Amino acid sequence: MTLISRPALKIMKYELRDVARSRSLIAYALFFAVVTDALLRFGGGGKALVSLASVALFIIPLVALVFGTVFLDNARDFTELLLAQPITRRQLYSGLYFGLSLPLAGAFAVGVVVPFALHRAADPAVRASLAVLVATGVTLTFVFTAFAFVIAAWSEDRLRRMGTAIGAWLLLAVLYDGLVLVLVMLFGDYPIERPMLAAMVANPVDLARVLLLLQLDMSALMGYTGAVFQQVFSGGKGIAVASLALAFWVATPVLLGLRSFRKRDF
């Protein structure tokens, strides 16, 4: 059975239309459009990409987690209705997941690409970096939307789910590098290069940042784990390794979300 079957496609098309009409989604796209336009006006293409990468790594996980959690809360009655129909939970999960993640990913991509097209700021070098930025942002959207499904299936309490979503964002996008630096200070006398690589792979936001900054050649902004990664994997090899690890982070939460969705008692 394929992940996207005919019933799943029908559910996905319905959800795409529903989510696309959301004011929150429109505001999300406009946010990136306004930020990208402002950065291009004041900094030019290359500098705008560096700043935009920092904004994207901070905002995308938050929006995907919170929007996904709220969406699944609001769609509970619809989900229960569909479960009474002759469709499997796998098909329903696939339709809901792609019906939510694709509009979020599309809103980000449109909000970033359109200002670059209007400003005609994408020379060949900038176009390659812009493509990596968009691909990385889309990948993070898929990762954290799947995390939202896992969180939504984990608890029946709405406040607990929302608190878990925000806590996961704070840990992975805000506090993680600080915790790594504390460990470096505590165990700096020991060979910790391999544990630091493991720490980077354990965080999809860290992976995405390293992948972007390797492409943008901004090693000073990588943080400790990124600097260690660049020492071990340089050039195209580093980008390939980071991309494969990020692909793993797409598959793992999607499968965890499916497993949690199958076990949830609606």
Side-chain angles (χ1 to χ4, degrees), residues 98-111:
F98 287 106
L100 176 60
S101 56
L102 288 175
L104 284 174
F108 164 72
V110 170

Side-chain angles (χ1 to χ4, degrees), residues 156-170:
E156 293 292 329
D157 185 83
R158 177 175 296 188
L159 290 178
R160 182 178 293 180
R161 289 196 296 267
M162 185 59 65
T164 303
I166 295 175
W169 169 73
L170 283 172

Side-chain angles (χ1 to χ4, degrees), residues 21-254:
R21 293 195 295 266
S22 169
R23 293 181 180 178
S24 299
L25 186 73
I26 296 172
Y28 182 55
L30 287 176
F31 168 80
F32 275 106
V34 170
V35 170
T36 304
D37 182 77
L39 290 173
L40 286 171
R41 290 179 185 275
F42 292 105
K47 293 181 180 179
L49 281 172
V50 176
S51 300
L52 192 57
S54 299
V55 174
L57 293 174
F58 189 76
I59 295 297
I60 290 175
L62 175 63
V63 171
L65 282 168
V66 173
F67 191 89
T69 303
V70 172
F71 168 82
L72 292 170
D73 281 335
N74 295 336
R76 184 180 180 119
D77 292 339
F78 176 70
T79 302
E80 292 175 349
L81 175 64
L82 288 178
L83 286 174
Q85 308 303 314
I87 61 173
T88 66
R89 290 201 174 204
R90 179 191 180 100
Q91 292 168 340
L92 178 56
Y93 172 81
S94 301
L96 292 174
Y97 173 73
F98 287 106
L100 176 60
S101 56
L102 288 175
L104 284 174
F108 164 72
V110 170
V112 170
V113 172
V114 169
F116 271 89
L118 293 176
H119 283 270
R120 298 179 181 179
D123 57 56
V126 172
R127 276 199 298 267
S129 298
L130 178 62
V132 173
L133 172 62
V134 172
T136 304
V138 168
T139 302
L140 284 179
T141 301
F142 283 116
V143 170
F144 284 95
T145 302
F147 276 137
F149 274 79
V150 174
I151 292 169
W154 169 70
S155 174
E156 293 292 329
D157 185 83
R158 177 175 296 188
L159 290 178
R160 182 178 293 180
R161 289 196 296 267
M162 185 59 65
T164 303
I166 295 175
W169 169 73
L170 283 172
L171 175 62
L172 295 176
V174 180
L175 302 176
Y176 194 84
D177 273 348
L179 295 174
V180 169
L181 285 175
V182 170
L183 292 176
V184 171
M185 292 174 63
L186 292 175
F187 301 100
D189 295 333
Y190 300 91
I192 57 173
E193 287 78 9
R194 290 185 178 180
M196 289 302 99
L197 288 176
M200 187 201 69
V201 173
N203 183 358
V205 178
D206 235 12
L207 273 171
R209 184 179 69 248
V210 170
L211 179 61
L212 284 171
L213 296 179
L214 281 173
Q215 173 66 33
L216 297 172
D217 195 22
M218 295 291 292
S219 56
L221 301 179
M222 284 186 182
Y224 189 85
T225 55
V228 172
F229 183 88
Q230 190 182 38
Q231 290 177 3
V232 179
F233 302 107
S234 59
K237 185 179 179 181
I239 294 175
V241 171
S243 299
L244 288 174
L246 201 55
F248 168 82
W249 268 111
V250 175
T252 300
V254 167

